[in-house]
Amino acid sequence: MGRPIIAIVGRPNVGKSTLFNRLAGNRIAIVDDAPGITRDRLYADAEWQNREFVITDTGGILFNESDPLTLQVKRQAELAMEEADVIVMITDATDGVTSTDEELAEMLRRTQKPVLLAVNKVDNKRLEQEAHEFYSLGLGEIYRISSIHGSGVAELLDAVQEHFSKIPEEEEIPEEAVKLAIIGRPNVGKSSILNAILGEDRSIVSSIPGTTRDSIDTVFERGEDKFALIDTAGIRRAGKIQGSIEYYTVLRAIRAIERSDVALLIIDAGDGLMDGDKRVGGYAHQAGKGCVVVVNKWDLRRAGENRLSVKNFTLELRKETPFLSYAPIVFASALRGEGISEILDTAKDVADSCALRISTGELNRIISDAVDNHPYMEKGQALKIKYATMVSVKPPTILLFVNNPDMFHFSYQRYLDNQIRKTYGYEGTPLRIIAKKVEKEKP
Ligand code: GDP
Ligand code: GDP
């Protein structure tokens, strides 16, 4: 199972993004902020009491701005009720209970999912007393917080975490299957790619219902290999929704990524690379999943005025998404059925590299050679790496014991990353390299 997804809902200005930023800041920086990632206020990794989860601020999702406010807030709630594991509704103590709060609460009372009510901006004793009125929303206990000062947030998170163990298990996909999430902006051809993959005379083994409404995973065999397409129904359905599609697709894509081994990031060759592509690719990278970039609709670029070479498109892609430099690129046309086999072959290879372990001896040899060839100095002090060990795979995660973790900057991390890849490739998977302070040796 992927990490639990927490959705923050509420009307504008109650402090959703302030809380979001506070929670996002709590996470241990296991992934150094890689250059080129387009951040939005929608999705962040968070951690509390050693448990990792994902927070989403549904207020940051683009709704139809011409819709009345209550409708926009209702859409948020619908989305959260469908796609999140735990919902946190925020209200504003300084405003008291508003009619929009009441409408929102009424909707949320109908879901089976856990809903917690946080009364924000409780900055003083008087507001602490007055917050009592929010019990009238009928959502049970209220959590008085101040997102700005941080008070009450720990208690809220404790309460959120109590619900994690109660999240229903999804039906299991066979362990040997490579789990694929097809992700990308609207209209890039996700559902066309899906149909091309499933259409090519594959033997479909089973359709497994997920926990989210309408969600179905499709398991199929291809020669010796087994694959599962995560949320087949969601990919098909998203293509048919008109207008402000983003509100529907974003959380759903995040959920699919969380449950996958490898994300197929679909890009529209006709459009070229867009900010939305980088953002979606950023989700896969941050989640530590394997990634294959699929440049779809390549038929549009092979001839005529819009002709482009594979080489030039690749250069552009590498320049614009440096954080995905490890991801192989496949040029495809769902329309013509081209490149579809290559997508699956590549995804299989990527899944293998996500799970590849290096022995401790080998790893230490590579790291110490790398340090010898290119030592890192700062203010007369050398960064010393005493010992390296691979603590987990999917993604491969390396722990380094060093004299001074503050000296382990992103550029050196990238250097070591490259050195490891020289021997082991690790095509398609991010590597996580974490520096920890070595314990003082006892005399
Ligand atoms: P959102 O629209 O729900 O995402 O709300 P924001 O996070 O943008 O916050 C709206 C306003 O409320 C901003 O001016 C924040 O600084 C302010 N705010 C957020 N949390 C608190 C709080 O705990 N106390 C006070 N006094 N102001 C807050
Ligand atoms: P989704 O929203 O990402 O699922 O995209 P769809 O699969 O619904 O495709 C969006 C549009 O792009 C449709 O009109 C497709 O016919 C078209 N399309 C999909 N793949 C290709 C392709 O390889 N070449 C061309 N020329 N058009 C394509």
Side-chain angles (χ1 to χ4, degrees):
M1 207 184 97
R3 297 172 295 179
I5 297 175
I6 317 303
I8 302 175
V9 302
R11 54 192 179 77
N13 286 317
V14 293
K16 292 184 298 302
S17 62
T18 308
L19 179 66
F20 177 88
N21 289 333
R22 176 170 281 280
L23 298 183
N26 267 342
R27 90 192 165 115
I28 291 178
I30 41 173
V31 205
D32 209 340
D33 283 359
I37 287 203
T38 311
R39 301 266 161 203
D40 54 31
R41 48 174 281 207
L42 205 67
Y43 161 98
D45 305 321
E47 189 179 291
W48 182 248
Q49 314 279 23
N50 290 323
R51 184 76 205 259
E52 282 186 52
F53 54 96
V54 172
I55 41 171
T56 60
D57 172 4
T58 57
I61 296 175
L62 292 180
F63 291 87
N64 226 337
E65 280 174 27
S66 55
D67 286 345
L69 184 68
T70 46
L71 190 62
Q72 291 184 39
V73 174
K74 277 183 174 170
R75 288 238 166 98
Q76 270 182 43
E78 273 169 16
L79 178 65
M81 290 187 321
E82 266 196 43
E83 307 299 339
D85 296 304
V86 179
I87 301 162
V88 175
M89 172 176 164
I90 314 276
T91 58
D92 184 335
T94 60
D95 289 341
V97 176
T98 70
S99 60
T100 310
D101 290 339
E102 277 167 353
E103 283 184 54
L104 186 57
E106 195 198 315
M107 286 184 73
L108 294 175
R109 281 201 303 268
R110 282 186 246 132
T111 179
Q112 304 288 315
K113 296 195 174 162
V115 179
L116 289 94
L117 176 62
V119 182
N120 189 33
K121 310 194 190 178
V122 179
D123 303 334
N124 60 48
K125 276 269 177 293
R126 179 178 61 80
L127 289 166
E128 211 174 297
Q129 299 273 314
E130 287 176 11
H132 214 80
E133 68 167 306
F134 287 91
Y135 278 109
S136 71
L137 292 177
L139 289 170
E141 194 50 63
I142 62 173
Y143 295 87
R144 295 169 170 86
I145 65 170
S146 167
S147 295
I148 282 191
H149 302 114
S151 62
V153 175
E155 289 76 7
L156 175 66
L157 285 177
D158 284 344
V160 165
Q161 290 223 324
E162 276 182 26
H163 291 286
F164 289 170
S165 57
K166 295 178 233 156
I167 296 170
E169 281 290 326
E170 312 195 24
E171 253 191 81
E172 281 300 312
I173 294 170
E175 203 177 328
E176 69 277 18
V178 178
K179 289 177 271 176
L180 303 176
I182 300 183
I183 57 171
R185 291 183 299 113
N187 281 317
V188 293
K190 294 182 295 300
S191 100
S192 306
I193 293 273
L194 171 80
N195 290 335
I197 288 175
L198 292 180
E200 268 192 19
D201 202 9
R202 306 268 175 248
S203 40
I204 293 180
V205 180
S206 59
S207 297
I208 302 174
T211 45
T212 301
R213 186 163 70 85
D214 290 348
S215 131
I216 292 170
D217 305 326
T218 305
V219 181
F220 64 94
E221 271 168 2
R222 179 173 179 267
E224 306 269 279
D225 302 325
K226 215 174 245 181
F227 293 89
L229 279 158
I230 302 295
D231 194 14
T232 317
I235 298 162
R236 288 215 164 97
R237 186 170 147 201
K240 298 198 176 59
I241 297 176
Q242 298 294 316
S244 61
I245 304 171
E246 254 201 291
Y247 93 86
Y248 177 76
T249 48
V250 172
L251 267 194
R252 192 126 186 184
I254 288 171
R255 175 177 283 277
I257 291 168
E258 285 299 327
R259 297 182 52 227
S260 71
D261 299 315
V262 178
L264 305 178
L265 172 64
I266 316 293
I267 288 172
D268 185 330
D271 293 345
L273 193 74
M274 315 274 277
D275 279 348
D277 301 323
K278 292 192 220 172
R279 201 171 297 132
V280 181
Y283 297 152
H285 173 80
Q286 265 182 280
K289 302 299 182 174
C291 184
V292 178
V293 177
V294 176
V295 181
N296 187 37
K297 310 195 189 180
W298 192 244
D299 53 286
L300 300 174
R301 291 296 199 176
R302 256 197 313 253
E305 267 175 40
N306 299 319
R307 203 187 127 73
L308 206 65
S309 70
V310 164
K311 189 172 160 224
N312 284 342
F313 202 98
T314 304
L315 282 174
E316 159 86 7
L317 211 79
R318 293 296 186 214
K319 193 173 118 233
E320 292 293 320
T321 55
F323 59 92
L324 284 179
S325 58
Y326 51 78
I329 304 171
V330 177
F331 289 80
S333 167
L335 193 71
R336 307 214 177 152
E338 291 165 4
I340 305 301
S341 286
E342 195 186 340
I343 293 173
L344 294 175
D345 290 340
T346 311
K348 170 71 181 150
D349 290 345
V350 166
D352 289 343
S353 56
C354 293
L356 180 67
R357 271 181 197 279
I358 313 179
S359 73
T360 303
E362 266 290 280
L363 183 65
N364 280 281
R365 192 188 54 75
I366 293 173
I367 300 281
S368 84
D369 283 355
V371 174
D372 286 348
N373 289 333
H374 183 53
Y376 182 76
M377 301 283 293
E378 198 175 283
K379 293 180 193 131
Q381 195 193 17
L383 175 70
K384 287 196 187 114
I385 300 177
K386 307 272 185 190
Y387 184 71
T389 176
M390 187 169 258
V391 287
S392 58
V393 290
K394 290 184 168 190
T397 303
I398 292 161
L399 192 58
L400 302 177
F401 291 95
V402 306
N403 58 336
N404 183 358
D406 293 339
M407 285 170 69
F408 191 61
H409 298 301
F410 184 74
S411 58
Y412 206 69
Q413 184 182 328
R414 192 166 43 190
Y415 164 68
L416 293 183
D417 185 303
N418 285 332
Q419 296 306 303
I420 294 167
R421 286 179 195 276
K422 269 191 188 154
T423 314
Y424 286 93
Y426 276 122
E427 195 182 46
T429 178
L431 299 181
R432 286 184 174 167
I433 307 179
I434 307 163
K436 249 186 142 172
K437 191 166 171 58
V438 70
E439 299 296 328
K440 275 249 161 60
E441 281 159 45
K442 301 246 160 61

